[in-house]
PDB file of all heavy atoms in Angstrom:
ATOM      1  N   SER A1319     -12.914  -4.478  -1.162  1.00 73.00           N
ATOM      2  CA  SER A1319     -14.183  -4.726  -1.853  1.00 73.00           C
ATOM      3  C   SER A1319     -15.321  -3.958  -1.197  1.00 73.00           C
ATOM      4  O   SER A1319     -16.226  -3.483  -1.874  1.00 73.00           O
ATOM      5  CB  SER A1319     -14.494  -6.224  -1.894  1.00 73.00           C
ATOM      6  OG  SER A1319     -14.825  -6.713  -0.599  1.00 73.00           O
ATOM      7  N   GLU A1320     -15.271  -3.800   0.101  1.00 77.00           N
ATOM      8  CA  GLU A1320     -16.306  -3.043   0.807  1.00 77.00           C
ATOM      9  C   GLU A1320     -16.197  -1.553   0.486  1.00 77.00           C
ATOM     10  O   GLU A1320     -17.198  -0.870   0.274  1.00 77.00           O
ATOM     11  CB  GLU A1320     -16.153  -3.268   2.313  1.00 77.00           C
ATOM     12  CG  GLU A1320     -17.188  -2.583   3.143  1.00 77.00           C
ATOM     13  CD  GLU A1320     -17.022  -2.877   4.619  1.00 77.00           C
ATOM     14  OE1 GLU A1320     -15.975  -3.400   5.037  1.00 77.00           O
ATOM     15  OE2 GLU A1320     -17.964  -2.560   5.362  1.00 77.00           O
ATOM     16  N   ILE A1321     -14.978  -1.054   0.424  1.00 71.00           N
ATOM     17  CA  ILE A1321     -14.754   0.371   0.187  1.00 71.00           C
ATOM     18  C   ILE A1321     -15.073   0.753  -1.256  1.00 71.00           C
ATOM     19  O   ILE A1321     -15.694   1.769  -1.520  1.00 71.00           O
ATOM     20  CB  ILE A1321     -13.299   0.735   0.554  1.00 71.00           C
ATOM     21  CG1 ILE A1321     -13.110   0.570   2.066  1.00 71.00           C
ATOM     22  CG2 ILE A1321     -12.951   2.141   0.103  1.00 71.00           C
ATOM     23  CD1 ILE A1321     -11.674   0.546   2.511  1.00 71.00           C
ATOM     24  N   TRP A1322     -14.624  -0.075  -2.189  1.00 67.00           N
ATOM     25  CA  TRP A1322     -14.832   0.231  -3.610  1.00 67.00           C
ATOM     26  C   TRP A1322     -16.113  -0.392  -4.156  1.00 67.00           C
ATOM     27  O   TRP A1322     -16.413  -0.280  -5.344  1.00 67.00           O
ATOM     28  CB  TRP A1322     -13.642  -0.253  -4.438  1.00 67.00           C
ATOM     29  CG  TRP A1322     -12.426   0.603  -4.214  1.00 67.00           C
ATOM     30  CD1 TRP A1322     -11.385   0.341  -3.387  1.00 67.00           C
ATOM     31  CD2 TRP A1322     -12.144   1.865  -4.817  1.00 67.00           C
ATOM     32  NE1 TRP A1322     -10.465   1.364  -3.439  1.00 67.00           N
ATOM     33  CE2 TRP A1322     -10.906   2.309  -4.304  1.00 67.00           C
ATOM     34  CE3 TRP A1322     -12.822   2.671  -5.737  1.00 67.00           C
ATOM     35  CZ2 TRP A1322     -10.331   3.520  -4.678  1.00 67.00           C
ATOM     36  CZ3 TRP A1322     -12.243   3.870  -6.107  1.00 67.00           C
ATOM     37  CH2 TRP A1322     -11.011   4.290  -5.587  1.00 67.00           C
ATOM     38  N   GLU A1323     -16.870  -1.073  -3.295  1.00 66.00           N
ATOM     39  CA  GLU A1323     -18.123  -1.738  -3.679  1.00 66.00           C
ATOM     40  C   GLU A1323     -17.913  -2.670  -4.870  1.00 66.00           C
ATOM     41  O   GLU A1323     -18.574  -2.559  -5.907  1.00 66.00           O
ATOM     42  CB  GLU A1323     -19.209  -0.702  -3.977  1.00 66.00           C
ATOM     43  CG  GLU A1323     -19.586   0.115  -2.752  1.00 66.00           C
ATOM     44  CD  GLU A1323     -20.711   1.080  -3.021  1.00 66.00           C
ATOM     45  OE1 GLU A1323     -20.738   1.720  -4.098  1.00 66.00           O
ATOM     46  OE2 GLU A1323     -21.581   1.203  -2.139  1.00 66.00           O
ATOM     47  N   ARG A1324     -16.995  -3.600  -4.682  1.00 74.00           N
ATOM     48  CA  ARG A1324     -16.685  -4.570  -5.738  1.00 74.00           C
ATOM     49  C   ARG A1324     -17.012  -5.974  -5.254  1.00 74.00           C
ATOM     50  O   ARG A1324     -16.915  -6.285  -4.078  1.00 74.00           O
ATOM     51  CB  ARG A1324     -15.205  -4.485  -6.110  1.00 74.00           C
ATOM     52  CG  ARG A1324     -14.884  -3.143  -6.715  1.00 74.00           C
ATOM     53  CD  ARG A1324     -13.697  -3.219  -7.644  1.00 74.00           C
ATOM     54  NE  ARG A1324     -13.535  -1.948  -8.323  1.00 74.00           N
ATOM     55  CZ  ARG A1324     -12.480  -1.164  -8.181  1.00 74.00           C
ATOM     56  NH1 ARG A1324     -11.486  -1.527  -7.405  1.00 74.00           N
ATOM     57  NH2 ARG A1324     -12.412  -0.031  -8.840  1.00 74.00           N
ATOM     58  N   GLN A1325     -17.355  -6.801  -6.204  1.00 76.00           N
ATOM     59  CA  GLN A1325     -17.631  -8.197  -5.918  1.00 76.00           C
ATOM     60  C   GLN A1325     -16.547  -9.057  -6.550  1.00 76.00           C
ATOM     61  O   GLN A1325     -15.859  -8.621  -7.478  1.00 76.00           O
ATOM     62  CB  GLN A1325     -18.989  -8.587  -6.485  1.00 76.00           C
ATOM     63  CG  GLN A1325     -20.131  -7.843  -5.845  1.00 76.00           C
ATOM     64  CD  GLN A1325     -21.465  -8.256  -6.437  1.00 76.00           C
ATOM     65  OE1 GLN A1325     -21.534  -8.962  -7.424  1.00 76.00           O
ATOM     66  NE2 GLN A1325     -22.537  -7.801  -5.806  1.00 76.00           N
ATOM     67  N   PRO A1326     -16.411 -10.295  -6.062  1.00 75.00           N
ATOM     68  CA  PRO A1326     -15.448 -11.179  -6.717  1.00 75.00           C
ATOM     69  C   PRO A1326     -15.939 -11.548  -8.112  1.00 75.00           C
ATOM     70  O   PRO A1326     -17.121 -11.379  -8.431  1.00 75.00           O
ATOM     71  CB  PRO A1326     -15.396 -12.400  -5.800  1.00 75.00           C
ATOM     72  CG  PRO A1326     -16.684 -12.382  -5.048  1.00 75.00           C
ATOM     73  CD  PRO A1326     -17.091 -10.934  -4.946  1.00 75.00           C
ATOM     74  N   ASN A1327     -15.016 -12.044  -8.916  1.00 65.00           N
ATOM     75  CA  ASN A1327     -15.422 -12.503 -10.238  1.00 65.00           C
ATOM     76  C   ASN A1327     -16.195 -13.815 -10.104  1.00 65.00           C
ATOM     77  O   ASN A1327     -16.428 -14.301  -8.998  1.00 65.00           O
ATOM     78  CB  ASN A1327     -14.210 -12.621 -11.185  1.00 65.00           C
ATOM     79  CG  ASN A1327     -13.244 -13.731 -10.803  1.00 65.00           C
ATOM     80  OD1 ASN A1327     -13.557 -14.635 -10.027  1.00 65.00           O
ATOM     81  ND2 ASN A1327     -12.054 -13.670 -11.360  1.00 65.00           N
ATOM     82  N   ARG A1328     -16.574 -14.400 -11.199  1.00 75.00           N
ATOM     83  CA  ARG A1328     -17.433 -15.602 -11.129  1.00 75.00           C
ATOM     84  C   ARG A1328     -16.720 -16.828 -10.574  1.00 75.00           C
ATOM     85  O   ARG A1328     -17.345 -17.854 -10.309  1.00 75.00           O
ATOM     86  CB  ARG A1328     -18.054 -15.905 -12.492  1.00 75.00           C
ATOM     87  CG  ARG A1328     -17.084 -16.280 -13.567  1.00 75.00           C
ATOM     88  CD  ARG A1328     -17.811 -16.406 -14.914  1.00 75.00           C
ATOM     89  NE  ARG A1328     -16.891 -16.772 -15.950  1.00 75.00           N
ATOM     90  CZ  ARG A1328     -16.731 -18.007 -16.395  1.00 75.00           C
ATOM     91  NH1 ARG A1328     -17.454 -18.984 -15.896  1.00 75.00           N
ATOM     92  NH2 ARG A1328     -15.862 -18.261 -17.349  1.00 75.00           N
ATOM     93  N   HIS A1329     -15.403 -16.726 -10.342  1.00 68.00           N
ATOM     94  CA  HIS A1329     -14.630 -17.829  -9.761  1.00 68.00           C
ATOM     95  C   HIS A1329     -14.328 -17.596  -8.281  1.00 68.00           C
ATOM     96  O   HIS A1329     -13.660 -18.406  -7.648  1.00 68.00           O
ATOM     97  CB  HIS A1329     -13.316 -18.023 -10.521  1.00 68.00           C
ATOM     98  CG  HIS A1329     -13.510 -18.263 -11.983  1.00 68.00           C
ATOM     99  ND1 HIS A1329     -14.054 -19.422 -12.486  1.00 68.00           N
ATOM    100  CD2 HIS A1329     -13.269 -17.455 -13.051  1.00 68.00           C
ATOM    101  CE1 HIS A1329     -14.127 -19.334 -13.795  1.00 68.00           C
ATOM    102  NE2 HIS A1329     -13.660 -18.150 -14.170  1.00 68.00           N
ATOM    103  N   GLY A1330     -14.795 -16.458  -7.736  1.00 68.00           N
ATOM    104  CA  GLY A1330     -14.582 -16.165  -6.327  1.00 68.00           C
ATOM    105  C   GLY A1330     -13.271 -15.459  -6.028  1.00 68.00           C
ATOM    106  O   GLY A1330     -12.861 -15.368  -4.879  1.00 68.00           O
ATOM    107  N   VAL A1331     -12.619 -14.929  -7.063  1.00 64.00           N
ATOM    108  CA  VAL A1331     -11.363 -14.198  -6.902  1.00 64.00           C
ATOM    109  C   VAL A1331     -11.668 -12.711  -7.038  1.00 64.00           C
ATOM    110  O   VAL A1331     -12.400 -12.307  -7.941  1.00 64.00           O
ATOM    111  CB  VAL A1331     -10.325 -14.634  -7.961  1.00 64.00           C
ATOM    112  CG1 VAL A1331      -9.043 -13.829  -7.845  1.00 64.00           C
ATOM    113  CG2 VAL A1331     -10.033 -16.132  -7.836  1.00 64.00           C
ATOM    114  N   PHE A1332     -11.108 -11.895  -6.156  1.00 68.00           N
ATOM    115  CA  PHE A1332     -11.339 -10.458  -6.246  1.00 68.00           C
ATOM    116  C   PHE A1332     -10.480  -9.863  -7.355  1.00 68.00           C
ATOM    117  O   PHE A1332      -9.398  -9.336  -7.127  1.00 68.00           O
ATOM    118  CB  PHE A1332     -11.080  -9.763  -4.907  1.00 68.00           C
ATOM    119  CG  PHE A1332     -12.242  -9.901  -3.974  1.00 68.00           C
ATOM    120  CD1 PHE A1332     -12.239 -10.863  -2.984  1.00 68.00           C
ATOM    121  CD2 PHE A1332     -13.355  -9.087  -4.113  1.00 68.00           C
ATOM    122  CE1 PHE A1332     -13.319 -10.996  -2.132  1.00 68.00           C
ATOM    123  CE2 PHE A1332     -14.443  -9.218  -3.270  1.00 68.00           C
ATOM    124  CZ  PHE A1332     -14.430 -10.181  -2.281  1.00 68.00           C
ATOM    125  N   GLU A1333     -10.975  -9.993  -8.546  1.00 75.00           N
ATOM    126  CA  GLU A1333     -10.400  -9.426  -9.772  1.00 75.00           C
ATOM    127  C   GLU A1333     -11.567  -9.080 -10.673  1.00 75.00           C
ATOM    128  O   GLU A1333     -12.603  -9.741 -10.648  1.00 75.00           O
ATOM    129  CB  GLU A1333      -9.489 -10.426 -10.490  1.00 75.00           C
ATOM    130  CG  GLU A1333      -8.150 -10.635  -9.853  1.00 75.00           C
ATOM    131  CD  GLU A1333      -7.196  -9.456 -10.019  1.00 75.00           C
ATOM    132  OE1 GLU A1333      -7.479  -8.548 -10.829  1.00 75.00           O
ATOM    133  OE2 GLU A1333      -6.166  -9.448  -9.324  1.00 75.00           O
TER     134      GLU A1333
END
Side-chain angles (χ1 to χ4, degrees):
S1319 70
E1320 182 178 13
I1321 293 165
W1322 288 98
E1323 296 183 319
R1324 295 206 173 116
Q1325 296 180 351
N1327 68 16
R1328 65 186 180 99
H1329 303 290
V1331 177
F1332 279 99
E1333 285 288 348

